[in-house]
Amino acid sequence: MDKYGLIGFPLGHSFSIGYHNQRFADEGINAKYVNFEIPSIDDLPEVLSSNPDLKGLNVTIPYKEKVMAFLDYVSPEARAIGAVNVIKVEHEGKKIRLKGYNSDVIGFTQSIEPMLEDYHKKALVLGTGGASKAVAYGLKSLGIEPVFVSRYERPGTIQYSNITPDVVKEYNVIVNCTPLGMYPKTETCPDLPYEALDDHNILYDLIYNPDETLFMKKGAARGAQTKNGLEMLLLQAFASWEFWNGK
């Protein structure tokens, strides 16, 4: 039986295990998906050696960047983003070859593209982690100029305190890549001038639990288009399968 899995720490909240095992059951695929909760990325070789039937892995927090040092091949997209979240495991005799890809960018771009109009030219990307890098890469590929938003002074970023009503009118696509508003802290949201939003804005939240975050509610109240991260997750999971099994 083929095996697939997820590496990260901790893994209590993982969506992947349920999705993939359900898919295997529905489609009669002789495979199983398991969680590998490893306290250090240095445990990866042991996971590989003790699971010879492993065909592919997903990678989540906090290893999307650290895992790249272990890979034999990294796709140009994943290299540009600086993060890998899908690994294809190839067995050549006793040798194992690891190929790294990024499905965040595919899931995000396919999910947000139908929402975009000609007047969407610039975007605020809230957060500076691995997912935000993939989002920025995806926005650029769609012809939208992204800028990162951070609490701290960093080169090439805007601080939350400097986001004025004029900024959210110009940067009218706003993508939340932070955990603000995620269950159980559903009463939190990014600090933005929500009163300046209107129907020209898109508020896209990578969070999918709850279905509608406070960030989305505040946008919708002003007429903005909103979307959560569930479709992105489904598209990502589908992309993982393509990377593992596509020719």
Side-chain angles (χ1 to χ4, degrees), residues 145-234:
E145 179 195 322
V147 63
F148 292 107
V149 181
S150 170
R151 286 172 296 176
Y152 312 106
E153 291 243 354
R154 292 180 176 160
T157 62
I158 301 180
Q159 277 64 58
Y160 283 99
S161 52
N162 294 330
I163 297 178
T164 61
D166 286 343
V167 171
V168 297
K169 291 210 181 317
E170 184 183 354
Y171 291 82
N172 53 10
V173 177
I174 307 175
V175 185
N176 180 33
C177 306
T178 78
L180 287 168
M182 188 159 76
Y183 180 83
K185 296 186 178 170
T186 54
E187 72 297 335
T188 59
C189 66
D191 185 15
L192 298 168
Y194 291 96
E195 69 284 353
L197 301 175
D198 61 25
D199 59 1
H200 289 83
N201 289 92
I202 292 173
L203 270 63
Y204 190 108
D205 204 327
L206 266 53
I207 293 169
Y208 56 92
N209 181 13
D211 291 340
E212 189 181 34
T213 57
L214 189 55
F215 166 76
M216 291 166 63
K217 281 179 185 156
K218 287 189 166 197
R222 297 283 170 181
Q225 280 192 85
T226 63
K227 195 172 209 177
N228 71 17
L230 186 60
E231 183 186 48
M232 174 177 165
L233 260 187
L234 293 166

Coordinates of all heavy atoms in Angstrom, one line a residue, residues 145-234:
E145 N 0.4 44.1 -8.1 CA 1.6 44.5 -7.4 C 1.4 44.3 -5.9 O 0.5 45.0 -5.3 CB 2.0 45.9 -7.7 CG 3.2 46.5 -7.0 CD 3.2 48.0 -7.1 OE1 2.9 48.6 -8.2 OE2 3.6 48.6 -6.1
P146 N 2.1 43.4 -5.2 CA 1.9 43.2 -3.8 C 2.8 44.0 -2.9 O 3.9 44.3 -3.3 CB 2.1 41.7 -3.6 CG 3.2 41.4 -4.6 CD 3.0 42.4 -5.7
V147 N 2.4 44.4 -1.7 CA 3.3 44.9 -0.7 C 3.0 44.2 0.6 O 1.8 44.0 0.9 CB 3.2 46.5 -0.6 CG1 1.8 46.9 -0.1 CG2 4.3 47.0 0.3
F148 N 4.0 43.8 1.4 CA 3.8 43.2 2.6 C 3.5 44.2 3.7 O 4.0 45.3 3.8 CB 5.1 42.4 3.0 CG 5.4 41.2 2.1 CD1 6.4 41.3 1.2 CD2 4.6 40.1 2.2 CE1 6.7 40.2 0.4 CE2 4.9 39.0 1.4 CZ 5.9 39.0 0.5
V149 N 2.6 43.7 4.7 CA 2.3 44.5 5.8 C 2.8 43.8 7.1 O 2.5 42.6 7.2 CB 0.8 44.8 5.9 CG1 0.4 45.6 7.1 CG2 0.3 45.4 4.6
S150 N 3.5 44.5 7.9 CA 4.0 43.9 9.1 C 3.8 44.9 10.3 O 3.6 46.1 10.2 CB 5.5 43.7 8.9 OG 6.2 43.3 10.1
R151 N 3.9 44.3 11.5 CA 3.9 45.1 12.7 C 5.2 45.8 12.9 O 5.3 46.8 13.6 CB 3.6 44.3 14.0 CG 2.2 43.8 14.1 CD 2.0 42.8 15.2 NE 2.8 41.6 15.0 CZ 2.9 40.6 15.8 NH1 2.3 40.7 17.0 NH2 3.6 39.5 15.6
Y152 N 6.3 45.3 12.3 CA 7.6 45.8 12.5 C 8.1 46.6 11.3 O 7.7 46.4 10.2 CB 8.6 44.6 12.9 CG 8.0 43.7 13.9 CD1 7.5 42.5 13.5 CD2 7.9 44.1 15.2 CE1 6.9 41.6 14.5 CE2 7.3 43.3 16.2 CZ 6.9 42.0 15.8 OH 6.3 41.2 16.8
E153 N 9.1 47.4 11.6 CA 9.8 48.1 10.5 C 10.7 47.1 9.7 O 11.6 46.6 10.3 CB 10.7 49.3 11.0 CG 9.8 50.4 11.6 CD 10.0 51.7 10.9 OE1 10.9 51.7 10.0 OE2 9.3 52.6 11.2
R154 N 10.4 46.9 8.5 CA 11.3 46.0 7.7 C 11.4 46.7 6.3 O 10.4 47.3 5.8 CB 10.6 44.7 7.5 CG 10.6 43.8 8.7 CD 9.9 42.5 8.5 NE 10.0 41.7 9.7 CZ 9.2 40.6 9.9 NH1 8.3 40.2 9.0 NH2 9.3 39.9 11.0
P155 N 12.5 46.5 5.6 CA 12.6 47.1 4.2 C 11.5 46.5 3.3 O 11.2 45.3 3.4 CB 14.0 46.6 3.8 CG 14.7 46.0 4.9 CD 13.7 45.7 6.0
G156 N 10.9 47.3 2.5 CA 9.9 46.9 1.6 C 8.6 46.5 2.2 O 7.8 45.8 1.5
T157 N 8.3 46.9 3.4 CA 7.0 46.6 4.0 C 6.4 47.8 4.5 O 7.0 48.8 4.8 CB 7.1 45.6 5.2 OG1 7.9 46.2 6.2 CG2 7.8 44.3 4.8
I158 N 5.0 47.8 4.7 CA 4.3 48.9 5.3 C 3.9 48.4 6.7 O 3.6 47.3 6.9 CB 3.0 49.2 4.5 CG1 3.2 49.5 3.1 CG2 2.2 50.3 5.2 CD1 1.9 49.8 2.3
Q159 N 4.0 49.3 7.7 CA 3.5 49.0 9.0 C 2.0 49.2 9.1 O 1.5 50.1 8.4 CB 4.2 49.9 10.1 CG 5.6 49.4 10.5 CD 6.6 49.4 9.4 OE1 6.8 50.4 8.8 NE2 7.1 48.2 9.0
Y160 N 1.3 48.4 9.9 CA -0.1 48.6 10.1 C -0.5 50.0 10.4 O -1.5 50.6 10.0 CB -0.7 47.7 11.2 CG -0.8 46.2 10.8 CD1 0.2 45.3 11.1 CD2 -1.9 45.8 10.0 CE1 0.1 44.0 10.7 CE2 -2.1 44.5 9.6 CZ -1.1 43.6 10.0 OH -1.2 42.3 9.5
S161 N 0.4 50.7 11.3 CA 0.1 52.0 11.7 C 0.1 53.1 10.6 O -0.4 54.2 10.7 CB 1.1 52.4 12.8 OG 2.4 52.2 12.3
N162 N 0.7 52.7 9.5 CA 0.8 53.6 8.3 C -0.3 53.3 7.2 O -0.3 53.9 6.2 CB 2.1 53.5 7.7 CG 3.2 54.1 8.6 OD1 3.0 54.9 9.4 ND2 4.4 53.5 8.5
I163 N -1.2 52.4 7.5 CA -2.3 52.1 6.5 C -3.4 53.1 6.7 O -4.2 52.9 7.7 CB -2.7 50.6 6.6 CG1 -1.6 49.7 6.3 CG2 -3.9 50.4 5.6 CD1 -1.9 48.3 6.3
T164 N -3.5 54.0 5.9 CA -4.6 55.0 5.9 C -5.7 54.6 5.0 O -5.6 53.7 4.2 CB -4.0 56.4 5.4 OG1 -3.6 56.2 4.0 CG2 -2.8 56.8 6.2
P165 N -6.9 55.3 5.1 CA -8.0 55.1 4.2 C -7.6 55.2 2.7 O -8.0 54.3 1.9 CB -9.0 56.2 4.6 CG -8.8 56.4 6.0 CD -7.3 56.3 6.2
D166 N -6.7 56.1 2.4 CA -6.2 56.2 1.0 C -5.4 54.9 0.6 O -5.5 54.5 -0.6 CB -5.3 57.4 0.9 CG -6.1 58.7 0.9 OD1 -7.3 58.7 0.7 OD2 -5.5 59.8 1.1
V167 N -4.7 54.3 1.5 CA -3.9 53.1 1.2 C -4.9 52.0 0.8 O -4.6 51.3 -0.2 CB -3.0 52.7 2.3 CG1 -2.3 51.4 2.0 CG2 -1.9 53.8 2.5
V168 N -5.9 51.8 1.5 CA -6.8 50.7 1.2 C -7.7 50.9 0.0 O -8.3 50.0 -0.6 CB -7.7 50.2 2.4 CG1 -6.9 49.7 3.6 CG2 -8.7 51.3 2.9
K169 N -7.8 52.2 -0.4 CA -8.5 52.5 -1.7 C -7.5 52.2 -2.9 O -8.0 51.7 -3.9 CB -8.9 53.9 -1.7 CG -10.1 54.2 -0.7 CD -11.0 55.3 -1.2 CE -12.1 55.7 -0.3 NZ -12.8 54.5 0.3
E170 N -6.2 52.5 -2.7 CA -5.3 52.2 -3.8 C -4.9 50.7 -3.8 O -4.9 50.1 -4.9 CB -4.0 53.0 -3.5 CG -3.0 52.8 -4.7 CD -1.7 53.6 -4.4 OE1 -1.6 54.4 -3.4 OE2 -0.8 53.4 -5.2
Y171 N -4.6 50.1 -2.7 CA -4.3 48.7 -2.6 C -5.6 48.0 -2.2 O -5.9 47.6 -1.1 CB -3.2 48.4 -1.5 CG -1.9 49.0 -1.9 CD1 -1.6 50.3 -1.7 CD2 -0.9 48.1 -2.4 CE1 -0.3 50.8 -2.0 CE2 0.3 48.6 -2.8 CZ 0.6 50.0 -2.6 OH 1.9 50.5 -2.9
N172 N -6.5 47.8 -3.2 CA -7.8 47.4 -2.9 C -8.0 45.9 -2.8 O -9.1 45.4 -2.6 CB -8.8 48.0 -3.9 CG -8.5 47.8 -5.3 OD1 -7.6 47.0 -5.7 ND2 -9.2 48.5 -6.2
V173 N -7.0 45.1 -3.0 CA -7.0 43.7 -2.7 C -6.2 43.5 -1.4 O -5.1 43.9 -1.3 CB -6.4 42.8 -3.8 CG1 -6.3 41.3 -3.4 CG2 -7.1 43.1 -5.1
I174 N -6.9 42.9 -0.4 CA -6.2 42.7 0.9 C -6.3 41.2 1.3 O -7.4 40.6 1.3 CB -6.9 43.5 2.0 CG1 -6.9 45.0 1.6 CG2 -6.1 43.4 3.4 CD1 -7.7 45.9 2.6
V175 N -5.1 40.6 1.5 CA -5.0 39.1 1.8 C -4.5 38.9 3.2 O -3.3 39.3 3.5 CB -4.2 38.4 0.7 CG1 -4.2 36.9 1.0 CG2 -4.6 38.7 -0.7
N176 N -5.3 38.3 4.0 CA -4.8 38.0 5.4 C -4.0 36.7 5.5 O -4.6 35.6 5.3 CB -6.0 38.0 6.4 CG -5.5 37.7 7.8 OD1 -4.4 38.1 8.2 ND2 -6.3 37.0 8.6
C177 N -2.7 36.8 5.7 CA -1.9 35.6 5.8 C -1.4 35.4 7.3 O -0.4 34.7 7.5 CB -0.7 35.6 4.9 SG -1.1 35.9 3.2
T178 N -2.1 36.1 8.2 CA -1.8 36.0 9.6 C -2.8 35.1 10.3 O -3.9 34.8 9.7 CB -1.8 37.4 10.3 OG1 -3.2 37.7 10.6 CG2 -1.2 38.5 9.5
P179 N -2.5 34.6 11.5 CA -3.5 33.8 12.2 C -4.6 34.6 12.9 O -5.4 34.0 13.6 CB -2.7 33.0 13.2 CG -1.4 33.8 13.4 CD -1.2 34.6 12.2
L180 N -4.6 35.9 12.8 CA -5.5 36.8 13.5 C -7.0 36.4 13.0 O -7.3 36.5 11.9 CB -5.3 38.2 13.2 CG -4.0 38.8 13.9 CD1 -3.7 40.2 13.3 CD2 -4.3 38.9 15.4
G181 N -7.8 36.0 14.0 CA -9.2 35.7 13.7 C -9.5 34.2 13.6 O -10.6 33.8 13.5
M182 N -8.4 33.4 13.7 CA -8.5 32.0 13.6 C -9.1 31.4 14.9 O -8.8 31.9 16.0 CB -7.2 31.3 13.3 CG -7.3 29.8 13.0 SD -5.8 29.3 12.1 CE -4.6 29.2 13.3
Y183 N -9.9 30.4 14.8 CA -10.5 29.7 16.0 C -9.3 29.3 16.9 O -8.3 28.8 16.4 CB -11.3 28.4 15.5 CG -11.9 27.7 16.7 CD1 -13.1 28.1 17.2 CD2 -11.2 26.6 17.2 CE1 -13.6 27.4 18.3 CE2 -11.7 25.9 18.3 CZ -13.0 26.3 18.8 OH -13.5 25.6 19.9
P184 N -9.4 29.4 18.2 CA -10.5 29.9 19.0 C -10.5 31.4 19.2 O -11.5 31.9 19.8 CB -10.3 29.2 20.4 CG -8.8 29.1 20.5 CD -8.3 29.0 19.1
K185 N -9.5 32.2 18.7 CA -9.5 33.6 19.0 C -10.2 34.4 17.9 O -9.7 35.2 17.2 CB -8.1 34.1 19.1 CG -7.4 33.5 20.3 CD -6.0 34.1 20.5 CE -5.3 33.4 21.7 NZ -3.9 33.8 21.8
T186 N -11.5 34.1 17.7 CA -12.3 34.6 16.6 C -12.7 36.0 16.7 O -13.2 36.6 15.8 CB -13.6 33.7 16.4 OG1 -14.3 33.7 17.7 CG2 -13.3 32.3 16.1
E187 N -12.5 36.6 17.9 CA -12.8 38.0 18.1 C -11.7 39.0 17.7 O -11.8 40.2 17.8 CB -13.3 38.3 19.5 CG -12.2 38.3 20.6 CD -11.4 36.9 20.8 OE1 -12.0 35.9 20.4 OE2 -10.3 37.0 21.2
T188 N -10.6 38.4 17.1 CA -9.5 39.3 16.7 C -9.5 39.5 15.2 O -10.1 38.7 14.4 CB -8.1 38.7 17.1 OG1 -8.0 37.4 16.5 CG2 -8.0 38.6 18.6
C189 N -8.9 40.6 14.7 CA -8.7 40.8 13.3 C -7.6 41.8 13.0 O -7.2 42.5 13.9 CB -10.0 41.3 12.7 SG -10.5 43.0 13.2
P190 N -7.0 41.8 11.8 CA -6.0 42.7 11.5 C -6.4 44.2 11.7 O -7.6 44.5 11.5 CB -5.6 42.4 10.1 CG -6.1 41.0 9.8 CD -7.3 40.9 10.7
D191 N -5.5 45.0 12.1 CA -5.8 46.4 12.5 C -5.8 47.3 11.2 O -4.7 47.7 10.7 CB -4.8 46.9 13.5 CG -5.1 48.3 14.0 OD1 -6.2 48.8 13.7 OD2 -4.2 49.0 14.6
L192 N -7.0 47.5 10.6 CA -7.1 48.2 9.3 C -8.2 49.3 9.4 O -9.1 49.1 10.2 CB -7.4 47.2 8.2 CG -6.4 46.1 7.9 CD1 -7.1 45.1 6.9 CD2 -5.2 46.6 7.3
P193 N -8.2 50.3 8.6 CA -9.3 51.3 8.5 C -10.4 50.7 7.7 O -10.7 51.1 6.6 CB -8.6 52.5 7.8 CG -7.6 51.9 7.0 CD -7.0 50.7 7.6
Y194 N -11.2 49.8 8.3 CA -12.3 49.1 7.6 C -13.4 50.0 7.1 O -14.0 49.7 6.1 CB -12.9 48.0 8.5 CG -12.0 46.8 8.8 CD1 -11.2 46.8 10.0 CD2 -11.9 45.8 8.0 CE1 -10.4 45.8 10.3 CE2 -11.0 44.7 8.3 CZ -10.3 44.7 9.4 OH -9.4 43.6 9.7
E195 N -13.5 51.2 7.8 CA -14.6 52.1 7.4 C -14.3 52.7 6.0 O -15.2 53.2 5.4 CB -14.7 53.2 8.5 CG -13.5 54.2 8.6 CD -12.3 53.6 9.3 OE1 -12.3 52.5 9.8 OE2 -11.2 54.3 9.3
A196 N -13.1 52.6 5.5 CA -12.7 53.1 4.2 C -13.0 52.1 3.1 O -12.8 52.5 1.9 CB -11.3 53.6 4.2
L197 N -13.4 50.9 3.4 CA -13.6 49.9 2.4 C -14.9 50.1 1.6 O -15.8 50.7 2.1 CB -13.6 48.5 3.0 CG -12.4 48.0 3.8 CD1 -12.7 46.7 4.4 CD2 -11.2 48.0 2.9
D198 N -14.9 49.6 0.4 CA -16.2 49.7 -0.4 C -16.3 48.5 -1.3 O -15.5 47.6 -1.2 CB -16.4 51.0 -1.1 CG -15.3 51.3 -2.1 OD1 -14.7 50.3 -2.6 OD2 -15.0 52.5 -2.4
D199 N -17.2 48.6 -2.3 CA -17.3 47.4 -3.2 C -16.2 47.2 -4.2 O -16.3 46.3 -5.0 CB -18.7 47.5 -3.9 CG -18.9 48.7 -4.7 OD1 -18.0 49.5 -4.8 OD2 -20.0 48.9 -5.3
H200 N -15.2 48.1 -4.2 CA -14.0 47.9 -5.0 C -13.0 47.0 -4.3 O -12.0 46.6 -5.0 CB -13.4 49.2 -5.4 CG -14.2 50.0 -6.4 ND1 -15.2 50.8 -5.9 CD2 -14.1 50.1 -7.7 CE1 -15.8 51.4 -7.0 NE2 -15.2 51.0 -8.1
N201 N -13.2 46.7 -3.1 CA -12.2 45.9 -2.3 C -12.5 44.4 -2.3 O -13.7 44.0 -2.3 CB -12.1 46.4 -0.8 CG -11.5 47.7 -0.7 OD1 -12.2 48.7 -0.7 ND2 -10.2 47.8 -0.5
I202 N -11.4 43.6 -2.3 CA -11.5 42.2 -2.1 C -10.8 41.9 -0.8 O -9.6 42.4 -0.6 CB -10.8 41.4 -3.2 CG1 -11.6 41.5 -4.5 CG2 -10.6 39.9 -2.8 CD1 -10.9 40.9 -5.7
L203 N -11.4 41.2 0.2 CA -10.8 40.8 1.4 C -10.7 39.2 1.3 O -11.8 38.6 1.4 CB -11.5 41.2 2.6 CG -11.1 42.6 3.2 CD1 -11.3 43.7 2.2 CD2 -11.8 42.9 4.5
Y204 N -9.5 38.7 1.2 CA -9.3 37.3 1.1 C -8.6 36.8 2.3 O -7.5 37.3 2.7 CB -8.5 37.0 -0.2 CG -8.4 35.5 -0.5 CD1 -9.1 35.0 -1.6 CD2 -7.7 34.6 0.2 CE1 -9.1 33.7 -2.0 CE2 -7.6 33.3 -0.1 CZ -8.3 32.8 -1.2 OH -8.3 31.5 -1.5
D205 N -9.1 35.8 3.0 CA -8.5 35.3 4.2 C -8.1 33.9 4.1 O -8.9 33.0 3.7 CB -9.6 35.4 5.4 CG -8.9 35.5 6.7 OD1 -7.9 34.9 6.9 OD2 -9.5 36.1 7.6
L206 N -6.8 33.6 4.4 CA -6.3 32.2 4.2 C -6.9 31.3 5.3 O -6.9 30.1 5.2 CB -4.8 32.2 4.3 CG -4.0 32.2 3.0 CD1 -4.4 33.4 2.1 CD2 -2.5 32.2 3.2
I207 N -7.5 31.9 6.4 CA -8.1 31.1 7.4 C -9.4 30.5 6.9 O -10.1 31.1 6.1 CB -8.4 32.0 8.7 CG1 -7.1 32.5 9.3 CG2 -9.3 31.4 9.7 CD1 -7.3 33.6 10.3
Y208 N -9.8 29.3 7.4 CA -11.0 28.7 7.0 C -11.8 28.2 8.2 O -12.9 27.6 8.0 CB -10.8 27.5 6.0 CG -9.9 26.4 6.5 CD1 -10.3 25.3 7.2 CD2 -8.5 26.6 6.4 CE1 -9.5 24.4 7.8 CE2 -7.6 25.6 6.9 CZ -8.1 24.5 7.6 OH -7.2 23.6 8.1
N209 N -11.3 28.4 9.4 CA -12.0 28.1 10.6 C -11.9 29.3 11.6 O -10.8 29.5 12.1 CB -11.5 26.8 11.3 CG -12.2 26.5 12.5 OD1 -13.3 27.0 12.8 ND2 -11.6 25.5 13.3
P210 N -13.0 30.1 11.7 CA -14.3 29.9 11.3 C -14.5 30.2 9.8 O -13.6 30.8 9.1 CB -15.1 31.0 12.1 CG -14.1 32.1 12.3 CD -12.8 31.4 12.5
D211 N -15.7 29.9 9.2 CA -16.0 30.1 7.8 C -15.9 31.6 7.5 O -15.5 32.0 6.4 CB -17.5 29.7 7.5 CG -17.7 28.2 7.5 OD1 -16.7 27.5 7.4 OD2 -18.8 27.8 7.7
E212 N -16.4 32.4 8.4 CA -16.3 33.9 8.2 C -15.6 34.5 9.3 O -16.1 34.6 10.4 CB -17.7 34.5 8.0 CG -17.6 36.0 7.5 CD -19.0 36.6 7.3 OE1 -19.9 36.3 8.1 OE2 -19.1 37.5 6.5
T213 N -14.4 35.0 9.1 CA -13.6 35.7 10.2 C -14.2 37.1 10.4 O -14.9 37.6 9.5 CB -12.2 35.8 9.8 OG1 -12.1 36.4 8.5 CG2 -11.5 34.4 9.6
L214 N -13.7 37.7 11.5 CA -14.1 39.1 11.7 C -13.6 40.0 10.6 O -14.3 41.0 10.2 CB -13.5 39.5 13.1 CG -14.0 40.9 13.7 CD1 -15.5 41.0 13.7 CD2 -13.4 41.1 15.0
F215 N -12.4 39.8 10.1 CA -11.8 40.5 9.0 C -12.8 40.5 7.8 O -13.1 41.5 7.2 CB -10.5 39.8 8.6 CG -9.8 40.1 7.3 CD1 -9.2 41.4 7.1 CD2 -9.8 39.2 6.3 CE1 -8.6 41.6 5.9 CE2 -9.2 39.5 5.1 CZ -8.6 40.7 4.9
M216 N -13.3 39.3 7.5 CA -14.3 39.2 6.4 C -15.6 39.9 6.7 O -16.2 40.5 5.8 CB -14.5 37.7 6.1 CG -13.3 37.0 5.5 SD -13.5 35.2 5.5 CE -14.9 35.0 4.4
K217 N -16.1 39.7 7.9 CA -17.4 40.3 8.3 C -17.3 41.9 8.2 O -18.2 42.5 7.6 CB -17.7 40.0 9.7 CG -18.3 38.6 9.9 CD -18.6 38.4 11.4 CE -19.1 36.9 11.6 NZ -18.9 36.5 13.0
K218 N -16.2 42.4 8.6 CA -16.0 43.9 8.6 C -15.9 44.4 7.1 O -16.4 45.4 6.8 CB -14.8 44.3 9.3 CG -14.9 44.2 10.9 CD -13.8 44.8 11.6 CE -14.1 45.0 13.0 NZ -13.2 46.0 13.7
G219 N -15.3 43.6 6.3 CA -15.2 43.9 4.8 C -16.6 43.8 4.2 O -17.0 44.7 3.5
A220 N -17.3 42.7 4.4 CA -18.6 42.5 3.8 C -19.6 43.6 4.2 O -20.5 44.0 3.4 CB -19.2 41.1 4.2
A221 N -19.5 44.1 5.5 CA -20.4 45.1 6.0 C -20.2 46.4 5.2 O -21.1 47.2 5.1 CB -20.1 45.4 7.5
R222 N -19.1 46.6 4.5 CA -18.8 47.8 3.7 C -19.0 47.5 2.2 O -18.6 48.3 1.4 CB -17.4 48.3 3.9 CG -17.1 48.7 5.3 CD -17.7 50.1 5.6 NE -17.7 50.5 7.0 CZ -18.2 51.6 7.4 NH1 -18.8 52.5 6.6 NH2 -18.2 51.9 8.7
G223 N -19.5 46.3 1.9 CA -19.7 45.9 0.5 C -18.6 45.2 -0.3 O -18.7 45.0 -1.5
A224 N -17.5 45.0 0.5 CA -16.3 44.3 -0.2 C -16.7 42.8 -0.5 O -17.5 42.2 0.2 CB -15.1 44.4 0.8
Q225 N -16.0 42.3 -1.5 CA -16.1 40.9 -1.8 C -15.2 40.2 -0.8 O -14.1 40.6 -0.5 CB -15.5 40.6 -3.2 CG -16.4 40.8 -4.4 CD -15.7 40.2 -5.6 OE1 -15.8 39.0 -5.9 NE2 -15.0 41.0 -6.4
T226 N -15.6 39.0 -0.3 CA -14.8 38.3 0.7 C -14.7 36.8 0.3 O -15.7 36.3 -0.4 CB -15.4 38.4 2.1 OG1 -16.7 37.8 2.2 CG2 -15.5 39.9 2.6
K227 N -13.7 36.2 0.7 CA -13.5 34.7 0.5 C -12.6 34.2 1.6 O -11.6 34.8 1.9 CB -13.0 34.5 -0.9 CG -13.1 33.0 -1.4 CD -12.7 32.9 -2.8 CE -13.4 31.8 -3.5 NZ -13.0 31.7 -5.0
N228 N -12.9 33.0 2.1 CA -12.0 32.3 3.0 C -11.1 31.3 2.3 O -11.1 31.2 1.1 CB -12.8 31.7 4.2 CG -13.6 30.4 3.7 OD1 -13.3 29.8 2.7 ND2 -14.5 30.0 4.5
G229 N -10.3 30.6 3.1 CA -9.2 29.8 2.5 C -9.5 28.4 2.2 O -8.7 27.6 1.8
L230 N -10.8 28.0 2.4 CA -11.2 26.6 2.2 C -11.0 26.1 0.7 O -10.4 25.1 0.5 CB -12.6 26.3 2.6 CG -13.0 24.9 2.6 CD1 -12.2 24.0 3.5 CD2 -14.5 24.7 3.0
E231 N -11.4 26.9 -0.2 CA -11.2 26.5 -1.6 C -9.8 26.4 -2.0 O -9.3 25.5 -2.7 CB -11.9 27.5 -2.6 CG -11.8 27.1 -4.0 CD -12.4 28.1 -5.0 OE1 -12.0 29.3 -4.9 OE2 -13.2 27.7 -5.9
M232 N -9.0 27.3 -1.5 CA -7.5 27.3 -1.7 C -6.9 26.0 -1.2 O -6.1 25.3 -1.8 CB -6.8 28.5 -1.0 CG -5.3 28.5 -1.0 SD -4.6 29.9 -0.3 CE -2.9 29.4 -0.1
L233 N -7.4 25.6 0.0 CA -6.9 24.3 0.6 C -7.3 23.1 -0.3 O -6.4 22.2 -0.5 CB -7.6 24.1 2.0 CG -6.9 24.4 3.2 CD1 -7.7 24.0 4.4 CD2 -5.5 23.8 3.3
L234 N -8.5 23.1 -0.8 CA -8.9 22.0 -1.6 C -8.1 22.0 -2.9 O -7.7 20.9 -3.4 CB -10.4 22.1 -2.0 CG -11.4 21.9 -0.8 CD1 -12.8 22.4 -1.1 CD2 -11.4 20.5 -0.4

